[in-house]
Structure formats: structure tokens, C-alpha cells
Amino acid sequence: MKRIAALAGFAAVSLALSACGGGGAPEGGDTEGTEAVAGGEVSVVTWWEAGSEKQGRDKLVEVFEQEHSDYTFKNAAVAGGGGSQAKQKLAADLAAKNPPDTFQAHAGAELTDYIEAMQIEDVSALYDEFNLRDAFPATLVDRLTVDGKIYSVPTNIHRANVVWANTAVLEEAGLDPANPATDIAGWIADMEKVKAAGKVPITVGMAWTQLELLESVLMADLGAEAYNGLFDGTTDWASAEVTASLENYAKIIDLADKSYLNEDWEPAMNPVITGDAAYNVMGDWAIAAFDNAEMKYKEDYVAFPVPGSDGIFDFLADSFTLPVGAKNADGAKAWLQSISGKPGQIAFNTVKGSIPARSDLTEDEIAMFGEYQQDAMKSFGEDTIVSSIAHGAAVPIAVSEAMNDACAKFAQGASDVAGFQAELVAAAASLSK
Ligand code: GAL
């Protein structure tokens, strides 16, 4: 049955798309057989509206408008890191049957609600049309596939479990930037040294950044397998091992500067850039902020997996969708082609800090990326890949939002470890059902 349904969906999308036509035949996409009749504005929702993230989005737009000159990009962005504001507005617009032509979402469980509500199309046919099945690694295509269908097209792969550290601050505290701690206990001891040297050990921002820190600590303490078990019921959120990890997290929150708890990731990262704080845990979009401050990787700052999570790649991917009822579906298709094609992925990812979702880059193309990203490409190929909670890969939106709330309460001192754990247990209750 599933197979028949998948095939029927595939045929419907193929028909709809070929009726709409494409926007030329740029490199990376085979649009042969379709007619370039359409055009007009393509409304695109992202949350890349400021700083280094906007620079990345601008690159995508540039490539899109070059490759599909009959279309124009219409910015429907909703600012707020991690999609903190965009997701709510989108849910309301989709429910009101007023979708944008395409929107940014995280690949993985975050799409569940949209799929179940039949608000986004199966875009498997585009994977064949654009030759994406060969261009993307099989591990990625597997992660994107739900009951044989694929509902979004990724433009990148980010890693979330990364510590960003100011070299000078570490040295002042007598720490060697090239040799970070190897587990969370050792890292907390290093933070104590930074504190003793009179600097801020760690900064953390608004709720989703706290959740990202929490997931990194969990995977460092539990290991990849038990961390994965948190999402299929084989690891109990109420277990003693989770309690021990939350106690570590509590120590880190205790050492953190609390003045950024309502701020987005960039202001929270800033003290690490200015040399007032040692550490911040953030996805590798952060590298663009260091680049903009003209700081040199491995000289002025270092980046390393959260201690204890070496060998684990905490995965998330920004991907774009084709909403049911999009007014300019052929324009959305053209956008999906550009953001998944080689020129788009190279232009975007070289400034965004992520690595391309495509694994078919030549050596010369790989050489266009910075040292950190070349290391990340290697890690993605070698490490154990796990899914980010804060960035939609591991859990549906309702679960990550409930966890965000639990983190915010805890960081503000409104719950203790036991209360925090009880709230996480409640938030995760729907996962193993
Ligand atoms: C993530 C997104 C990244 C970056 C980050 C901060 O959810 O995947 O591309 O934008 O939020 O806003």
C-alpha cells in the first residue's frame, strides 16, 4: 500500500511540475522536457535576516536570480535565530492556507507535523529530475526519507556540537587551546580556571541555544547510541544516567554569564569574539561571525567538538519545501533547483559555515572552503551522525518547544535538576508512542 501511495504521490508531483514548467536548464539540474513559460515572484521564508546568515541567504538569491532570470526572489523572512519566530508564523499561515512558495525548515522530524497535516508536497520527483540521489550521500537521503517519500531539499549540513573558544582567554587561564578537555568533567574544570583568571567561562543565549548546549552535554555524557535512544524510547529520559548528565549541565549553567539568556546567538557569542569570555557552544554557522570579525581559525579562536563528543557529528540540515497550494509552485521548484545545485551550494556554504549537502565536489571545489569546513566535511564522512534536538532533526516542533521552555525555566533558576528532568520527561513523552 505504502509503495502504491508513494508512486501515486510521485506521479502527481511530476505532473504538477511538468505542467508548471521550469526556469531554464542551469548546471546541476536537468529540466529537459519542461517549458520555460512561468516567471514572477517567488516568496521565500527563511530566518536568515541578519549578520552572517543574511550574507549566506543573499548568495543563494544571487545564484537563483542568475540561473532563473525569469523569476525574482521575494523576501518573506521572519527574523529570529533557529527559526524561533518563523515557525509560529508559518504554522499559522499554513493552517490558514496562505503558504509562501517555499520555506526553510530543518530536515528530519521537524517536518512531521507539516507532513501529517498534508501541508507540504512529496518532492521525491525533484530528486530524480535534479539528479540529487547521486549528488547527496546515501546517509543523508536515508535521513530525509519518510515512508519512501522525501519532503524537502537540503542546501547544507551544519554541525551543532561545537565549542567556540577565544585563544587568548584560554591562554590567560593557563589552558592550551590546541588540547581541549576530553570529557565534560574536564571541561568544567577548565571553566573554573577561566573564572579564577577573572574572565567569563561560558556564555549562552536564548532558550534554543540552551537546548543546543544541553543536547551536546547529553551526547558527550551518554555516547551516541544512548543519545539516539532518547528518541526511540530505548534510553529513559527519567534514568539516573540522564540525571547525572543534567547535573553536569547545571554546573555549566551555573558558570555561565546570565545576561544573554534572552538574546539571540550572535550577541551571546560576542564576548568570545571580543575576548571577554572563553567558550560558547553553537552550530558552525558561528564561523561566519568570527570571519566577519577578521579573526583567524586556530590562531585567534579554536573550535572543537564539545568535550566527550569527539567522533559524534550532531547533524542538522537547512532544507526547503514545496508547500501544498503554493501560488508559484514552478518558481518554488526553480528555487529548489538552485539551492540544491552545485553553484548554489558552493556560493552559500562557503559563507554560511556549513558544508554542502552534495558530496560530489571536486578537489578544487573543496579547496574553496576554509580549513574548519574542510575538517567538518571529513568528520561528516567519518563520525557517528546523530540528530540535533534544538534544530529539528531529532524531534517534532512541539517537543523541541516544550524542551526550550524547560531549559529557559531552568536557566532562570525557576526549577531545580529534578524539576527540569521531570519537564524533559513530559516533553519527550510523545516520542516513544
Ligand atoms: C539554525 C539553522 C542555521 C542557522 C541557525 C541560527 O536552526 O539551521 O542555518 O540559521 O539556526 O539562526
Side-chain angles (χ1 to χ4, degrees):
M1 264 318 282
K2 263 185 191 158
R3 188 171 148 73
I4 294 171
L7 289 172
F10 178 92
V13 172
S14 304
L15 276 177
L17 292 173
S18 55
C20 293
E27 194 189 329
D30 299 322
T31 49
E32 225 180 305
T34 59
E35 288 182 24
V37 288
E41 286 187 334
V42 183
S43 63
V44 182
V45 171
T46 68
W47 55 84
W48 297 324
E49 195 49 3
S52 53
E53 303 190 351
K54 182 174 177 301
Q55 290 167 356
R57 190 199 68 204
D58 289 347
K59 288 284 175 194
L60 283 181
V61 174
E62 218 175 279
V63 173
F64 170 64
E65 293 192 340
Q66 265 164 19
E67 291 185 339
H68 298 278
S69 53
D70 38 350
Y71 292 107
T72 46
F73 170 83
K74 183 175 172 207
N75 185 13
V78 183
S84 46
Q85 306 302 316
K87 289 177 200 167
Q88 283 174 8
K89 174 157 194 320
L90 262 171
D93 286 350
L94 294 176
K97 303 219 178 318
N98 182 29
D101 294 318
T102 180
F103 64 87
Q104 175 190 358
H106 292 118
E110 185 177 295
L111 296 175
T112 315
D113 294 342
Y114 306 129
I115 296 170
E116 283 175 359
M118 293 191 283
Q119 291 167 330
I120 52 176
E121 301 277 5
D122 169 12
V123 291
S124 312
L126 296 182
Y127 275 66
D128 298 314
E129 191 177 339
F130 302 157
N131 292 327
L132 297 180
R133 290 182 201 278
D134 294 333
F136 292 161
T139 44
L140 178 60
V141 176
D142 286 350
R143 272 169 192 274
L144 294 167
T145 308
V146 183
D147 289 340
K149 302 180 188 180
I150 307 182
Y151 292 89
S152 69
V153 180
T155 190
N156 67 355
I157 292 169
H158 269 304
R159 183 179 196 169
N161 59 326
V162 186
V163 180
W164 303 86
N166 184 298
T167 310
V169 177
L170 297 187
E171 282 167 352
E172 268 174 60
L175 299 168
D176 177 2
N179 283 302
T182 53
D183 60 16
I184 295 287
W187 190 36
I188 291 171
D190 289 350
M191 288 188 212
E192 300 281 6
K193 290 187 188 150
V194 174
K195 191 176 169 192
K199 289 279 164 91
V200 172
I202 183 164
T203 57
V204 63
M206 63 199 289
W208 67 265
T209 73
Q210 298 159 30
L211 183 55
E212 186 175 331
L213 173 62
L214 172 65
E215 74 188 44
S216 303
V217 172
L218 283 170
M219 70 186 69
D221 284 336
L222 304 178
E225 203 184 323
Y227 172 82
N228 285 336
L230 291 168
F231 314 116
D232 64 12
T234 54
T235 302
D236 187 354
W237 281 88
S239 63
E241 51 182 338
V242 172
T243 313
S245 187
L246 295 183
E247 275 161 4
N248 275 338
Y249 175 76
K251 286 184 196 149
I252 297 173
I253 291 295
D254 202 40
L255 285 158
D257 183 342
K258 305 283 186 307
S259 48
Y260 300 95
L261 293 181
N262 294 317
E263 304 271 358
D264 216 324
W265 73 269
E266 288 215 65
M269 181 62 79
N270 204 42
V272 178
I273 292 174
T274 55
D276 294 301
Y279 304 115
N280 181 285
V281 170
M282 192 40 50
D284 45 16
W285 46 89
I287 201 163
F290 287 90
D291 282 351
N292 286 345
E294 294 183 7
M295 289 174 77
K296 284 210 168 52
Y297 179 50
K298 292 190 178 165
E299 286 180 31
D300 305 320
Y301 71 99
V302 289
F304 50 86
V306 167
S309 73
D310 203 8
I312 304 179
F313 192 108
D314 187 15
F315 157 93
L316 64 121
D318 293 303
S319 62
F320 284 85
T321 57
L322 181 58
V324 170
K327 289 178 198 70
N328 196 349
D330 53 337
K333 175 192 163 193
W335 173 261
L336 294 175
Q337 184 281 315
S338 287
I339 63 102
S340 61
K342 249 195 195 183
Q345 293 220 343
I346 292 173
F348 174 66
N349 287 298
T350 42
V351 299
K352 184 69 166 53
S354 36
I355 59 175
R358 301 181 72 102
S359 54
D360 60 350
L361 270 60
T362 63
E363 273 179 25
D364 286 350
E365 286 162 345
I366 291 174
M368 294 163 78
F369 288 82
E371 190 183 351
Y372 169 83
Q373 284 157 298
Q374 294 193 30
D375 287 350
M377 288 179 201
K378 238 176 115 228
S379 297
F380 186 73
E382 291 168 359
D383 288 2
T384 305
I385 300 175
V386 302
S387 296
S388 168
I389 305 174
H391 301 284
V395 299
I397 293 178
V399 176
S400 57
E401 285 191 344
M403 290 188 178
N404 276 340
D405 291 346
C407 286
K409 252 176 94 173
F410 182 71
Q412 281 151 7
S415 55
D416 58 9
V417 168
F420 184 34
Q421 187 163 15
E423 288 184 18
L424 294 172
V425 169
S430 60
L431 293 176
S432 43
K433 285 197 179 132

